[in-house]
Amino acid sequence: MLGAAPAASPVLSPELLRTSVARFNELDKEDVINLIPNAQAADWLAREVPLFECPDSAIQQAYYYRWWAFRKHLKQTPDGYVFTEFITPMKHAGPYNTISSALGHHLNEARWLHDPKYVEQYTKFWLEAKQPQVNAKLHSFSSWLPDAVYSLYEVNDNKAFVQEVLPALNADYRQWEKERKLPNGLFWQYDVKDAMEESISGGRKEQNVRPTINSYMYGNAKALAAMYKLTKDDSLERKYAAKAKQLRADVQKTLWDPKADFFKVQYAKGGLCEAREELGYIPWYFNLPADKPQYARQWTQLTDEGGFKAPWGITTAERRAPGFRTHGSGHGCEWDGAVWPYATTQTLKGLANLLTDYKNHGTMTPQVYYDELHKYAMSFRKNGVPYLGEYQDEKNGEWLKGDNPRSSYYNHSGFADLIITGLVGLKPRPDKVVEVFPLVPAGQWDYFCLDQVRYHGRMLTVLWDKTGQKYGKGQGLRVLADGKEIAHANELKRVTGRL
């Protein structure tokens, strides 16, 4: 359904967005201008993005800042709209300065833009570009592209688009099997091709079996099965469902370390990495691990200061590891402990899935999710002003490439999607059921509102009003579609309604 959503009186006005953008513009030198200059940013964002209001000033500012920065990377090209990763030209980029390493993050953010042409043309650029180097650049990095395309479908309900790109997605999966699949059915990758170079477990020439690419391929197979079900190709649906089932079993059998209670990298020579790494949480991004207490125990490391908990965010390797922060010297990118927004996005998405899709949560609670998301939001600043860069010192928040122009507005992660699907809890799905499962802890906020969310051709509003006086819609949690209430609860809990 791609028709214009019926008009409904919005609950929120764009005034807060416009005020925020005006401040961001005032602080910005605007050395690089792509499709939407700063002068047009407020109008474009007011037209394109869901509005959000909450009482946490850090999360509030980060939400609009991340959209403002994301908009900077939108380009119009002869091959359609694209999003860049670096604001400055990069030698390892493909046409129009495109890089595929954060493609899944880009699509999960861009699926919430009101006009689907941006995300759809960007997807088709990677799958259908006539320039031969684009395909090679797509496989420069591991990818969860089919999973992201199906996640886009769950938001915009555009079956015709799925049908159009499905043959190319099928071919892409087969190409990954040809390039990286081992005889035992698992996939190998260099850490640099996972966009995680200089890691404790890996190396730029080490062909290790990693939870990254194997989780991505599991998610991709599961998504392809769902898309073939949608298009009524039962033979390919069964084929990809079988691939996903086998990968799930193999990852749990081969990459799980029962002594460390953690998913780990397996060395090409055999044996698992001695250290725990944040990439071990990626399987939950795709709901790969079985719903068992033994797997849920892995998450206790997230709140352990010898594990991944640090003052400025989630570290990319456990802090107790002997090799922590020792691998990056001279290379300029270190995934051996420093905090990377790319990985933080993946881990928080995995944690949201654990809390909403699983029965076994271990020691994890919505408060843990909120605290880590808040810490993540707090990290988007440098010298007291909003900033987004490559990676950070875990103890003091220093952006480790903060003086390099390439680091500014680094489009290598996600944030809006974590607010929409995680904190507010709108869970995209392919049917006509609207499911909301907020992760705002009980008693944390008296109000919040996510408004003007384009979903299945409708406009959704999700709001929480403790007193009923803030938004005038009554007390509690309410979900509206085109202004009409479809779900309600007196407390913050899972609710469903029908479109």
Side-chain angles (χ1 to χ4, degrees), residues 2 15 25 34 47 53 71 88 112 115 132 152 189 203 275 320 343 345 357 364 383 401 404 410 421 423-424:
L2 287 175
E15 182 180 351
N25 286 349
N34 287 316
R47 190 168 63 245
E53 180 182 52
R71 168 270 327 175
T88 57
W112 298 108
D115 191 333
L152 167 63
Q189 187 57 290
R320 66 174 69 84
T345 306
D357 299 337
M364 295 297 98
N383 299 327
K401 279 188 175 291
N404 190 324
Y410 190 41
T421 66
L423 195 64
V424 172

Side-chain angles (χ1 to χ4, degrees), residues 87-221:
I87 203 73
T88 57
M90 301 301 292
K91 291 180 180 178
H92 66 284
Y96 319 119
N97 204 33
T98 55
I99 298 172
S100 64
S101 63
L103 178 54
H105 288 323
H106 294 169
L107 298 189
N108 278 332
E109 296 283 277
R111 63 180 172 157
W112 298 108
L113 296 173
H114 289 174
D115 191 333
K117 69 185 178 187
Y118 304 111
V119 65
E120 291 181 354
Q121 289 185 26
Y122 182 48
T123 303
K124 288 168 68 175
F125 163 78
W126 284 108
L127 291 171
E128 301 176 3
K130 297 176 178 62
Q131 302 177 60
Q133 58 180 312
V134 172
N135 181 260
K137 290 294 183 181
L138 176 58
H139 280 232
S140 290
F141 295 97
S142 308
S143 169
W144 60 101
L145 175 55
D147 175 83
V149 170
Y150 186 66
S151 296
L152 167 63
Y153 168 74
E154 290 183 314
V155 170
N156 72 7
D157 196 31
N158 187 355
K159 181 179 175 181
F161 181 74
V162 170
Q163 288 176 311
E164 182 180 357
V165 299
L166 194 46
L169 291 172
N170 177 38
D172 182 71
Y173 194 98
R174 295 202 312 271
Q175 186 178 338
W176 277 114
E177 288 184 316
K178 183 178 179 180
E179 293 174 2
R180 291 291 189 265
K181 191 174 182 179
L182 294 165
N184 66 5
L186 289 168
F187 292 81
W188 66 269
Q189 187 57 290
Y190 308 109
D191 65 359
V192 67
K193 297 295 188 179
D194 269 337
M196 298 179 177
E197 60 268 39
E198 312 310 328
S199 64
I200 285 182
S201 64
R204 292 169 182 254
K205 297 181 180 180
E206 301 296 324
Q207 300 182 1
N208 294 331
V209 179
R210 298 166 59 83
T212 46
I213 188 170
N214 285 284
S215 297
Y216 302 160
M217 297 308 290
Y218 167 78
N220 291 340

Side-chain angles (χ1 to χ4, degrees), residues 150 153 162 220-231 237 240:
Y150 186 66
Y153 168 74
V162 170
N220 291 340
K222 198 167 62 164
L224 283 161
M227 287 187 277
Y228 279 117
K229 180 178 181 180
L230 177 70
T231 57
E237 177 194 348
Y240 278 106

